[in-house]
Amino acid sequence: MTQATERHEFQAEVKQLLDLMVHSLYSDRDIFLRELISNASDALDKRRFEQLTSPELADGAELQIKLAIDREARTLSIIDNGVGMSRDEVVRNIGTIARSGTKEFIAQLTANKKDAPGLIGQFGVGFYSAFMVSEDITLVTRRLGTETATRWHSTGDGTYTIDEDTRAEPGTTVTVKLKAADPEHGLHDYTAETVVSGIVKRYSDFVAYPIRLVKEGDDQTPINSMKAIWDRPKSEVTEDEYKEFYRHVSHDWTDPLRTIPVRMEGTFEAYALLYIPSKAPFDLYSPEMKRGLQLYVKRVFVMDESKELLPTHLRFVRGVVDAHDLSLNVSREILQKDRQIALIRKQLVKKVLGSLEEMKRDHADEYATFWEAFGPVLKEGLANWDSTDKDKILELVVATSTKERDKLVSLADYVGRMKEGQDAIYFLAGASKEAVARSPLLERFAAQGVEVLLFADPIDELWLENAPTFQGKQLTSIARGDVTLGTDEERKQEEEKLAEKREALGDLLLQLRAALQEEVKEVRLSTRLTSSPSCLVADDKDMTPRMQRMMAQMGHAVPSAKPILEINGNHPLVAKLQAVQAASKDDPRIGWAAQVLFGQAQLADGAELTAPTRYNEAVGELMLRAV
Ligand code: ADP
């Protein structure tokens, strides 16, 4: 039964995307061909795979991609004999974008047209990129194992048509009716063989199937080399070839920071080619990020995004693994339990961490780039209870510090120059680099010349909460509990001075505490401050205020632990308040001062005021009296 022509509307997101393709994206239009070839190659992979389980589907034809040019009609056809699509699959795959997050992607594209080619590849909207170069597109496809074909046609204007058609063999032909060439605007003449084969060499050289230009009556040699770069010895591969392959697997147009070839020979045979990118993809923190490595078995593509090959905290690593002894029928479920995969994963982790170690040791600038892009992801390995490489990752942690504000300091650097008698690695974690760098909590440490590491990534408080130790020294937050610095003798003297002050200021502290009933757990004298009048700290066992906010944002029920307000007993303001109190206990200025001291401490913490109205009132009243 022949079905009539059907006209369909594109999904709203697709329409928007097409509009962008047709009207806004002009740079690097060449990549449309790479996208279509990559789709063809995927379809061939799938066919090869289906034939393994259903050999009756094999027809003996060589799996290949052909490119046919018709100069008169100004068309370019990309022809594959891959798995093809059924009518339903065409509607589903070509009419809609299945992945959620499309809106966000389109927003990114609109905002950042310059990065469009990279974004397009990452997001996998490849097919639509052909509308950058064409007036209309026809796709004829026949699903492997079926007899009839489907014709899809669109001018990119919001609708497409679907018809029944015929095709001699299974596979897909995409015919692109080209716009007039306009080289000045990146629109090359894709009816020129040299242009087409140049693009193939540049982008699709490693595609595992021959790509041939169709010419009358003669059997063409493939344009692409098809070399599986990962199992060639390192000495035989040039830097450029490695980079090109990186582009191929990652769709990232910037050079990788590191290329890591791995050979595993012995009880099992496997090869890997891993890359550490130099910049973070836009979806690094999205659960839908395309992550994981490509898995091959003896050069046959098995699956994409194999997440089992690396832990999540190394999800930025791109590349391929070719495991020779694995079954081609391996499924994701099997991968999760496979012993050999576990061994491969262990090796890969070791290699990646080793490479980072080397980068950190010998190439500080590169490491800073790496850390900027992926440090927070790597540190997830310290926060996850089940990761096994914590010690190694701790070695890789770097942070700014109060000693060297514009250099990254490692824990080993820190320990190496700790003061005599110091038995902890002091750190401050906070909302932003600026907030931690300017925190009043640092004052005393600065005065005593004790270095403090500064952390400002959201993940930091999570892993630091576990109070890890490094070389026997505990990482200790300066925002919590008591801090005691200096020699035993110095500490004793300080304790005595503090006791005296406490005695003298006892009434004032009580009254401040009474004014802040709801806000704080305690008001006490500080040993941390030298110039600021107040700061907030957490009790020894409590979460820091920021940690509490973070947990609450993540939807956890947080036992609300009020902070402790610490007052600088040596601050002139405190002496004045004491005098005010001595004159009259009922002076309202004491209550206002309490609100301001508390509010300032919150602001210095990078937090929002919990009682902005009271704070404003207090500041207003005090100003009124000061002006
Ligand atoms: P992506 O390739 O990233 O999934 P595309 O928009 O390029 O995104 O393609 C959408 C889908 O259409 C593909 O996932 C595939 O299922 C199907 N498709 C595209 N081209 C072909 C082809 N030549 N043969 C078979 N299926 C194809």
Side-chain angles (χ1 to χ4, degrees), residues 543-561:
M543 286 183 194
T544 59
R546 209 176 99 76
M547 183 74 186
Q548 288 178 41
R549 286 197 299 279
M550 265 172 42
M551 297 292 279
Q553 272 166 16
M554 285 158 67
H556 296 284
V558 197
S560 89

Side-chain angles (χ1 to χ4, degrees), residues 442-485:
L442 295 169
E443 290 171 2
R444 178 68 191 288
F445 287 82
Q448 303 269 88
V450 177
E451 182 169 18
V452 178
L453 296 177
L454 304 173
F455 291 103
D457 290 326
I459 188 78
D460 286 325
E461 284 185 78
L462 282 177
W463 69 270
L464 287 162
E465 188 69 14
N466 305 335
T469 52
F470 178 80
Q471 295 183 1
K473 315 279 184 224
Q474 187 155 58
L475 277 90
T476 304
S477 170
I478 66 161
R480 115 158 3 143
D482 275 325
V483 282
T484 43
L485 292 174

Side-chain angles (χ1 to χ4, degrees), residues 13-32 34-35 97 105-121 123 125-134 179 182-188 190:
E13 279 87 357
V14 178
K15 277 191 200 167
Q16 246 176 309
L17 193 64
L18 284 175
D19 195 54
L20 270 169
M21 293 291 170
V22 177
H23 297 115
S24 314
L25 302 177
Y26 301 118
S27 62
D28 253 325
R29 297 201 236 202
D30 291 358
I31 62 150
F32 87 94
R34 180 203 63 184
E35 295 298 325
I97 301 177
F105 168 74
I106 291 171
Q108 288 228 14
L109 266 188
T110 318
N112 197 356
K113 287 176 189 145
K114 234 177 51 218
D115 262 351
L119 289 171
I120 289 168
F123 202 73
V125 289
F127 178 80
Y128 304 104
S129 66
F131 281 104
M132 291 194 292
V133 300
S134 59
K179 290 182 187 169
D182 180 4
E184 252 179 58
H185 295 100
L187 188 55
H188 300 117
Y190 305 108

Side-chain angles (χ1 to χ4, degrees), residues 39-40 43 46 80 83-85 93-94 124-128 172 290:
N39 281 349
K46 286 181 196 153
D80 68 65
V83 71
M85 283 178 275
N93 296 339
I94 306 292
V125 289
F127 178 80
Y128 304 104
T172 303
K290 273 199 176 186

Side-chain angles (χ1 to χ4, degrees), residues 39 57 110 122 222 428 501 555:
N39 281 349
L57 292 174
T110 318
Q122 277 179 25
L428 179 62
K501 276 252 177 247

